[in-house]
Amino acid sequence: MSTQIQEESEEATETETETAPVERESPGDRRREAKRTASDQRVASEPVGEIEGDTFRLKVFRYDPEVEGKMEPRFDDFTVPREKGMTVLDALIYARDHYDTTLTFRHSCRQAVCGSDAFFINGRQRLGCQTQISDLDGPVRVEPLPHQDVVKDLVVDMEHFYDQMHAVEPFFQGDTPDGDLEEQRQSRENREKIKMSTRCIWCGACMSSCNIAAGDNEYLGPAAINKAYRFAMDDREEDELKEHRMKILDQEHGVWRCQTQFSCTNVCPKDIPLTEHIQELKREAVKQNLKFW
Amino acid sequence: MAERYSSFRSGSRSWLFQRVTAAFLVVVLAFHFFLLHFVNHASEVTFAGTSARMEQWGYLLTMVLFLLTATFHGVNGVYAALLNQGLTGTKKRAVKGVLAIAGLALAAQGTYVALVMSGVM
Amino acid sequence: MSQSYNRGLVEDFGRWREFTAGMWAWILHKFTGWVLVGYLFTHIAVLSTALPASNAASGVIAAETDVYTTTLQGLESLALVRVLEVGLLAVAVFHILNGVRLLFVDLGVGLEAQDKSFYASLVVTAAIVLASVPTFLEGVF
């Protein structure tokens, strides 16, 4: 790891001891201590303790089943310099690079496209890269997404979320046009209709915020239903396909479990009107069933 | 693959009935409260007064419908609330059975009482 | 992945301060629903006193001393019952108003104003209940 700056860890821990005395004994510290004595080639860099300017406290959920002292979940405090335009992800990266290299979280594009850094920040599901520190009250509290199993620190098990996504067959299945050079055209209106639903980045914030999904493990969840909406409402797919898609949605644990709490719509980082889409699918399912009567 | 969906049983019918009964109940429940607390005071209800009201066919029919829709709406609402908690399998079937019996018993008893009040039985 | 940690219901009532309007609406709608369905059963039970009352002699009914009349008026004379009735009114009015709100949500109307309509239903419920208190408590205190 090239970004790590070892010298700082000890002093940084000292600034933290006031708030989190546990930190001192943590195996991470012991490991770093051992590393420090073993290594001769320490480079002197700017000492901590004197971070210039304004700082804020970052509280991060820690858990690691493989490290003895971290098996019991806890919160660690980090002092992070406040910078203009700093996001929660920036702050986490700072904490990892300057204090504790074992701090684990997913991130990739840093621009709200990859959907890997959804966290529970100050009591709400948000993308770390999209959330400005200046918009939050301190201390900034970062937890893994609720209602998903924690694998390590801020990393949660997304398997169930992906299962639900795949359950709705999230891919285009329309017939390919006859001619080789034939295009499969979509009307402008139809594109507008499904536009918002195509913006999903599979971050799982909605599913995590939904308290029905938390109780009912079989519920498809907002993201999967929105994905199904994207294809069910796409005119380029044939009617039989739409029927097939509606069948998946129209089960007890499909769209009907949505209780219109708007939690998913509130937290969606891409502003997808999830509740609206789910409601439209409910009405669509009722219409279809009335047709068959 | 983990738990996805267990069956293809549609939930649209109970959802729709829940909304339709809701729309009906909004009106009738408001009427019921108004009639028995503001027009006639609840503290002044007598058997003679009750049967005088219930002897009107329109009123009797409204009240029986009120009972039936309210029972469905209430019992189905409870069932939905329990499903939302993640009720599945045998427990779900048991709850469904108990609620159905309770609902039917309530509807039967209530209808019987209404008919007796109106002097039909 | 050898092990993982289940944090359980993280967004439980310990975090009630962070609940949004839609979540409160759901909680209150469910609570009032349970109350109303419970009341429906007891209501029919109490009204069932009409069964023996209907067999009473016409003189007893005219004198208002039949089981039905005495039971209902006996209950209504209790201050506690009257107060509970005000509570029932509050519960019913909220359930009606929020129910109307939910019907609109189901029709896809006014989804952007769903939080405002919830607050409105709370305010209107409070207004109606306060205005009804005199009528409901008349003659018992």
Side-chain angles (χ1 to χ4, degrees):
Chain A
M1 250 181 251
S2 55
T3 43
Q4 84 186 68
I5 303 166
Q6 281 175 5
E7 284 60 47
E8 291 185 1
S9 46
E10 173 65 0
E11 276 129 7
T13 327
E14 263 168 24
T15 52
E16 283 159 40
T17 30
E18 291 138 38
T19 41
V22 222
E23 181 75 350
R24 180 133 218 145
E25 261 87 50
S26 90
D29 285 344
R30 259 182 273 130
R31 212 151 7 103
R32 276 190 297 281
E33 195 74 36
K35 231 181 192 177
R36 239 152 65 94
T37 42
S39 109
D40 301 319
Q41 28 164 303
R42 276 183 276 137
V43 203
S45 63
E46 82 275 8
V48 173
E50 11 176 313
I51 301 174
E52 299 266 314
D54 198 8
T55 61
F56 66 94
R57 221 145 51 87
L58 183 69
K59 282 176 93 70
V60 185
F61 179 92
R62 304 302 302 274
Y63 166 77
D64 188 344
E66 286 160 11
V67 176
E68 208 179 312
K70 276 173 74 185
M71 284 172 183
E72 203 47 52
R74 62 157 198 261
F75 279 90
D76 278 0
D77 279 31
F78 301 101
T79 307
V80 179
R82 196 185 285 274
E83 274 163 40
K84 201 175 175 207
M86 190 178 222
T87 64
V88 171
L89 180 63
D90 294 334
L92 285 169
I93 291 174
Y94 183 94
R96 180 194 64 195
D97 292 352
H98 289 77
Y99 296 139
D100 186 349
T101 52
T102 65
L103 178 58
T104 311
F105 47 94
R106 293 192 182 107
H107 67 101
S108 177
C109 75
R110 305 186 190 197
Q111 47 191 326
V113 173
C114 70
S116 48
D117 68 339
F119 305 124
F120 196 53
I121 303 166
N122 281 9
R124 189 190 155 113
Q125 288 79 2
R126 319 178 208 233
L127 291 186
C129 57
Q130 207 188 32
T131 309
Q132 291 283 320
I133 295 292
S134 55
D135 290 341
L136 300 171
D137 295 332
V140 175
R141 194 181 161 97
V142 187
E143 297 166 61
L145 285 181
H147 311 135
Q148 267 140 303
D149 284 349
V150 182
V151 179
K152 186 183 175 191
D153 293 347
L154 299 174
V155 176
V156 291
D157 183 2
M158 299 283 282
E159 213 47 54
H160 179 65
F161 176 76
Y162 294 146
D163 281 350
Q164 302 304 68
M165 289 301 264
H166 293 138
V168 300
E169 303 175 12
F171 38 84
F172 189 76
Q173 301 177 65
D175 282 345
T176 42
D178 300 332
D180 268 357
L181 297 172
E182 199 72 37
E183 286 176 350
Q184 205 158 23
R185 294 195 173 233
Q186 182 179 28
S187 72
R188 275 178 188 282
E189 297 74 48
N190 190 234
R191 169 63 202 169
E192 273 308 304
K193 185 176 178 56
I194 63 163
K195 184 174 82 181
M196 293 307 279
S197 65
T198 62
R199 295 175 50 162
C200 178
I201 54 173
W202 297 47
C203 67
C206 53
M207 182 86 146
S208 165
S209 77
C210 175
N211 87 20
I212 305 302
D216 178 2
N217 215 26
E218 287 178 53
Y219 176 40
L220 286 170
I225 296 175
N226 174 70
K227 208 68 193 165
Y229 176 95
R230 183 249 170 278
F231 292 104
M233 295 299 170
D234 192 319
D235 282 347
R236 292 168 299 177
E237 279 195 351
E238 295 79 34
D239 284 350
E240 304 87 78
L241 258 175
K242 182 172 182 174
E243 235 166 70
H244 168 69
R245 291 191 183 279
M246 290 311 294
K247 240 184 224 163
I248 298 176
L249 296 168
D250 178 19
Q251 334 137 32
E252 220 154 36
H253 299 278
V255 287
W256 309 114
R257 291 276 65 76
C258 167
Q259 302 291 301
T260 62
Q261 293 180 28
F262 292 88
S263 302
C264 54
T265 310
N266 286 336
V267 300
C268 178
K270 306 305 276 185
D271 296 325
I272 303 169
L274 293 158
T275 312
E276 197 179 324
H277 290 166
I278 300 173
Q279 292 300 85
E280 197 176 332
L281 287 171
K282 285 181 192 168
R283 294 195 296 275
E284 195 65 34
V286 168
K287 269 187 239 160
Q288 257 199 8
N289 287 335
L290 287 180
K291 228 171 35 189
F292 289 129
W293 272 3
Chain B
M1 205 166 279
E3 307 151 78
R4 300 171 155 188
Y5 41 84
S6 49
S7 66
F8 282 102
R9 244 202 90 256
S10 161
S12 76
R13 230 164 306 161
S14 63
W15 183 84
L16 183 63
F17 283 151
Q18 190 75 353
R19 315 293 128 164
V20 172
T21 53
F24 176 74
L25 287 167
V26 161
V27 180
V28 187
L29 180 58
F31 163 74
H32 186 65
F33 252 95
F34 191 72
L35 185 71
L36 287 158
H37 281 284
F38 293 91
V39 179
N40 305 296
H41 294 291
S43 53
E44 290 153 15
V45 166
T46 60
F47 184 77
T50 300
S51 32
R53 275 193 296 278
M54 287 301 232
E55 270 160 21
Q56 300 165 40
W57 280 101
Y59 187 78
L60 173 66
L61 192 69
T62 312
M63 286 301 111
V64 172
L65 262 180
F66 182 29
L67 171 76
L68 298 181
T69 49
T71 306
F72 173 81
H73 190 86
V75 170
N76 188 46
V78 168
Y79 181 59
L82 293 173
L83 278 190
N84 291 338
Q85 310 285 330
L87 197 69
T88 46
T90 324
K91 256 196 208 155
K92 181 169 125 180
R93 272 191 298 279
V95 165
K96 199 174 185 171
V98 169
L99 284 175
I101 291 167
L104 286 175
L106 180 74
Q109 171 76 1
T111 312
Y112 178 49
V113 169
L115 291 175
V116 167
M117 282 172 172
S118 67
V120 175
M121 285 175 90
Chain C
M1 191 186 319
S2 51
Q3 257 179 298
S4 60
Y5 178 62
N6 184 351
R7 300 175 71 206
L9 273 182
V10 183
E11 289 182 301
D12 58 9
F13 274 101
R15 288 185 184 271
W16 60 274
R17 275 183 214 84
E18 289 153 5
F19 287 1
T20 52
M23 214 149 148
W24 279 119
W26 178 75
I27 291 167
L28 289 177
H29 201 76
K30 192 151 95 160
F31 170 73
T32 53
W34 280 102
V35 171
L36 288 172
V37 88
Y39 179 76
L40 179 60
F41 277 86
T42 47
H43 193 45
I44 296 300
V46 170
L47 294 187
S48 293
T49 52
L51 299 179
S54 67
N55 296 324
S58 56
V60 175
I61 292 173
E64 296 178 356
T65 50
D66 57 277
V67 202
Y68 180 80
T69 310
T70 50
T71 307
L72 261 67
Q73 296 197 343
L75 284 171
E76 288 291 329
S77 65
L78 300 173
L80 177 69
V81 171
R82 295 296 194 92
V83 172
L84 286 177
E85 269 181 349
V86 176
L88 181 72
L89 177 76
V91 158
V93 171
F94 174 80
H95 202 82
I96 288 178
L97 293 175
N98 192 56
V100 171
R101 168 183 169 271
L102 288 176
L103 286 177
F104 278 111
V105 167
D106 286 327
L107 292 171
V109 179
L111 294 188
E112 308 75 34
Q114 60 89 10
D115 44 352
K116 286 179 210 81
S117 57
F118 166 63
Y119 298 132
S121 60
L122 280 183
V123 171
V124 176
T125 303
I128 291 179
V129 171
L130 286 178
S132 307
V133 166
T135 322
F136 271 66
L137 297 184
E138 201 182 353
V140 72
F141 281 115

